[in-house]
């Protein structure tokens, strides 16, 4: 079984190819370029490097959200275009779940944090049981202080990771009551390798969709949509 994986949900752009239980290639960039500039060249590079015939892949695993609205749309457009052209299904992998999977089989709680602005993060709470990722709190937008309180309630040591950590580290240091730590740099951001690994599991469980049916999971409205809704409320006198 061969999976192509893409993640452009956050600041990081990442592409990977996995065959059975072997990660053949992974290309990850976290730099000052847009995903429209990086994702396709990265994909071309790994396809060339491992001499991959795209017709031989079984599915495309995609970090399906939440995350950057623009990044998610670029990833979705790329995956849908490939899926339709190659007649391959898409396996939608929740972005925050894939982040948590970076810390495979830790005995601590896992709390990914993606900066969602306005003192909020896209987050979830996870743990591993019997070598399987267990979702304790599904991915959600949450205020950082509220998230700290929820994690404290579990009474267990926790590892934080994601691009929200450096933004809200001071808040965590003030609010946390249980032991906590921060994931090291090589595990603290989105990786297409993790998307591929979870995508492989989900594909075997029958969790795939036709490329034409895929829609990103934004979890909340974009800024433009919020502003339009606020203007509509003002117009209606609400």
């Amino acid at each position: 079984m061969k999976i192509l994986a893409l993640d452009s949900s956050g600041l990081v752009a990442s592409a990977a190819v996995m065959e059975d239980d072997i990660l053949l290639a992974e290309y990850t960039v976290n730099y000052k370029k847009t995903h429209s500039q990086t994702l396709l060249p990265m994909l071309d590079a790994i396809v060339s490097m491992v001499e991959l015939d795209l017709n031989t892949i079984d599915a495309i695993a995609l970090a399906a959200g939440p995350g950057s609205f623009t990044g998610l749309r670029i990833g979705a457009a790329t995956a849908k275009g490939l899926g339709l052209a190659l007649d391959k299904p898409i396996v939608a992998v929740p972005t925050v779940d894939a982040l948590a999977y970076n810390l495979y089989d830790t005995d601590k709680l896992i709390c990914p944090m993606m900066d969602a602005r306005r003192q909020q993060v896209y987050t979830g709470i996870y743990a591993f049981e019997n070598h399987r990722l267990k979702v304790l709190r599904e991915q959600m937008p949450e205020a950082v202080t509220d998230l700290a309180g929820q994690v404290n309630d579990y009474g267990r040591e926790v590892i934080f990771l994601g691009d929200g950590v450096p933004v809200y580290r001071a808040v965590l240091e003030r609010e946390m009551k249980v032991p906590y730590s921060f994931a090291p740099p090589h595990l603290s951001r989105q990786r297409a390798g993790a998307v591929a690994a979870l995508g492989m599991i989900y594909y075997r469980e029958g969790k795939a969709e036709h490329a034409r049916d895929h829609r990103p999971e934004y979890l909340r409205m974009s800024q433009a949509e919020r502003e339009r809704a606020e203007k509509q409320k003002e117009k209606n006198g609400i």
Side-chain angles (χ1 to χ4, degrees):
M1 187 182 300
K2 195 176 293 182
I3 294 283
L4 172 69
L6 303 171
D7 191 332
S8 58
S9 59
L11 298 176
V12 171
S14 187
V17 177
M18 179 173 285
E19 184 172 9
D20 297 325
D21 294 324
I22 299 174
L23 183 62
L24 298 180
E26 184 180 42
Y27 192 160
T28 301
V29 173
N30 184 10
Y31 194 63
K32 304 172 185 178
K33 292 185 178 180
T34 65
H35 296 326
S36 60
Q37 294 174 294
T38 57
L39 194 60
L40 283 176
M42 291 164 58
L43 177 58
D44 287 341
I46 64 172
V47 166
S48 175
M49 184 64 69
V50 301
E51 301 176 339
L52 175 66
D53 179 354
L54 286 172
N55 288 292
T56 66
I57 66 173
D58 294 284
I60 301 164
L62 176 66
S68 157
F69 286 82
T70 301
L72 290 175
R73 287 169 181 146
I74 290 170
T78 303
K80 286 166 72 73
L82 287 170
L84 291 170
L86 300 170
D87 193 24
K88 304 296 182 181
I90 289 177
V91 181
V93 178
T95 302
V96 183
D97 293 20
L99 255 175
Y101 207 63
N102 283 350
L103 302 182
Y104 177 78
D105 235 12
T106 178
D107 60 351
K108 301 172 178 58
L109 288 182
I110 306 168
C111 187
M113 298 171 58
M114 297 175 64
D115 185 18
R117 310 289 177 85
R118 299 186 174 190
Q119 296 295 307
Q120 286 195 333
V121 290
Y122 296 121
T123 187
I125 303 174
Y126 303 83
F128 277 91
E129 292 186 3
N130 298 318
H131 315 296
R132 297 276 296 186
L133 183 67
K134 182 177 181 180
V135 181
L136 303 181
R137 289 291 304 273
E138 290 188 354
Q139 57 179 21
M140 58 188 171
E142 188 67 271
V144 180
T145 52
D146 292 341
L147 173 63
Q150 293 170 24
V151 175
N152 285 332
D153 287 343
Y154 282 93
R156 293 176 55 184
E157 187 171 353
V158 61
I159 304 174
F160 292 102
L161 71 159
D163 61 41
V165 169
V167 180
Y168 300 110
R169 184 167 182 148
V171 178
L172 294 174
E173 291 174 344
R174 182 181 69 243
E175 299 290 335
M176 293 306 300
K177 308 301 181 185
V178 298
Y180 65 92
S181 60
F182 302 109
H186 66 294
L187 298 175
S188 67
R189 297 293 188 273
Q190 288 91 335
R191 292 183 56 187
V195 175
L198 271 181
M200 187 79 74
I201 294 171
Y202 295 164
Y203 181 76
R204 288 169 173 160
E205 293 174 346
K207 299 176 182 177
E209 59 187 342
H210 195 283
R212 67 170 175 267
D213 298 326
H214 175 70
R215 297 290 184 275
E217 178 58 72
Y218 297 115
L219 286 190
R220 71 178 193 181
M221 293 188 295
S222 68
Q223 181 176 345
E225 290 170 325
R226 289 195 302 270
E227 290 174 354
R228 186 162 57 247
E230 289 170 2
K231 288 180 180 179
Q232 189 63 41
K233 285 183 180 180
E234 292 175 359
K235 182 179 178 180
N236 296 335
I238 299 176

